């Protein structure tokens, strides 16, 4: 895989992962109620969930996209519209609605791992990204398996590090993050990023 292609994928993955979605909010919730004790479990849970979701999406749909230009075009627009929908929904969310779900304190690390793995694997935002965006970084003339392996390993690694940083950061800044105005700023920034990614997805062309 060309380095510039990999670098573009890593940048797009990072942009997706830092958006305040279900996974990030759950990581923040656990970190704010249990502190650093669940940081590693949170990161491993996110990595495991993304590994499951991305492996299924890339292996199952990557070949379809490469074989059918029509399938790529249809699902590209479906992905773009869904990202646009999520972005508008976040921008229009009421200011009084809290972002962070309250989680009971003192959950064992194994349960934190399980919860985050399930939420991440079933997160439609990530699955839409995998289905509509990832095939752009797979070159038809090269072997599929090595490229898929590189993309999966890259995304899962970034996801785990991102979750760990969020958990540690939330623990260090509990009082600031709990403020309604900070939560609303995060929501608005996430919505704007999703809309930008929708526009980028809509302009993608199938690799040749």
């Amino acid at each position: 895989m060309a380095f510039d292609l990999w670098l573009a994928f890593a940048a797009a993955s990072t942009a997706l992962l830092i958006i305040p979605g279900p996974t990030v909010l759950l990581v923040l919730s656990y970190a704010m109620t249990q502190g650093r004790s669940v940081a590693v479990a949170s990161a491993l849970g996110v990595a495991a969930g993304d590994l499951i979701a991305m492996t299924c999406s890339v292996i199952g749909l990557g070949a379809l996209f490469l074989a059918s230009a029509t399938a790529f075009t249809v699902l590209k627009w479906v992905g773009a519209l869904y990202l646009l929908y999520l972005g508008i929904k976040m921008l229009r969310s009421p200011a009084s609605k809290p972002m962070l779900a309250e989680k009971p304190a003192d959950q064992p690390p194994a349960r934190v791992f399980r919860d985050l793995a399930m939420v991440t694997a079933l997160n439609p935002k990530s699955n839409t990204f995998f289905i509509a965006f990832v095939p752009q970084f797979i070159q038809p003339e090269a072997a599929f398996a090595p490229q898929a392996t590189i993309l999966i390993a890259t995304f899962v690694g970034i996801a785990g590090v991102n979750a760990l940083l969020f958990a540690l950061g939330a623990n260090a800044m509990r009082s600031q993050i709990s403020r309604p105005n900070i939560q609303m700023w995060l929501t608005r920034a996430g919505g704007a990023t999703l809309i930008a990614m929708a526009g980028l997805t809509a302009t993608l062309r199938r690799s040749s």
Side-chain angles (χ1 to χ4, degrees):
M1 175 175 288
F3 178 74
D4 58 340
L5 191 64
W6 174 85
L7 191 62
F9 175 77
S13 299
T14 301
L16 175 84
L17 289 166
I18 63 176
I19 296 173
T23 298
V24 169
L25 299 185
L26 192 56
V27 169
L28 294 176
S29 296
Y30 275 126
M32 292 176 66
T33 56
Q34 296 182 239
R36 299 179 62 180
S37 62
V38 298
V40 174
S42 297
L44 292 176
V46 170
D50 276 321
L51 177 62
I52 294 171
M54 191 172 184
T55 299
C56 292
S57 298
V58 171
I59 292 178
L61 295 173
L64 172 64
F65 282 152
L66 294 177
S68 172
T70 301
F72 173 81
T73 300
V74 170
L75 290 176
K76 177 189 76 171
W77 282 104
V78 170
L81 291 173
Y82 188 71
L83 290 171
L84 179 63
Y85 163 76
L86 290 177
I88 294 175
K89 184 178 179 181
M90 290 184 72
L91 288 176
R92 297 182 63 185
S93 61
S96 59
K97 184 178 180 180
M99 281 176 56
L100 302 178
E102 293 184 4
K103 304 298 293 185
D106 301 323
Q107 296 296 321
R111 183 170 179 177
V112 174
F113 172 87
R114 182 201 66 188
D115 288 350
L116 277 162
M118 291 180 62
V119 169
T120 304
L122 299 174
N123 183 0
K125 183 183 70 177
S126 296
N127 287 308
T128 300
F129 175 81
F130 299 148
I131 292 172
F133 205 73
V134 170
Q136 270 298 304
F137 300 91
I138 297 178
Q139 298 173 303
E141 69 276 10
F144 176 78
Q147 295 182 85
T149 300
I150 291 172
L151 296 178
I152 291 171
T154 299
F155 190 91
V156 170
I158 295 174
V161 172
N162 179 72
L164 182 62
L165 293 177
F166 264 112
L168 295 176
N171 176 67
M173 299 184 294
R174 292 189 193 187
S175 59
Q176 290 87 347
I177 293 178
S178 62
R179 297 176 182 175
N181 61 324
I182 297 298
Q183 293 189 26
M184 187 51 53
W185 181 87
L186 290 173
T187 302
R188 299 292 185 259
T193 304
L194 278 173
I195 292 174
M197 289 188 67
L200 180 60
T201 300
T203 62
L204 293 177
R205 295 183 179 179
R206 186 165 171 259
S207 297
S208 58

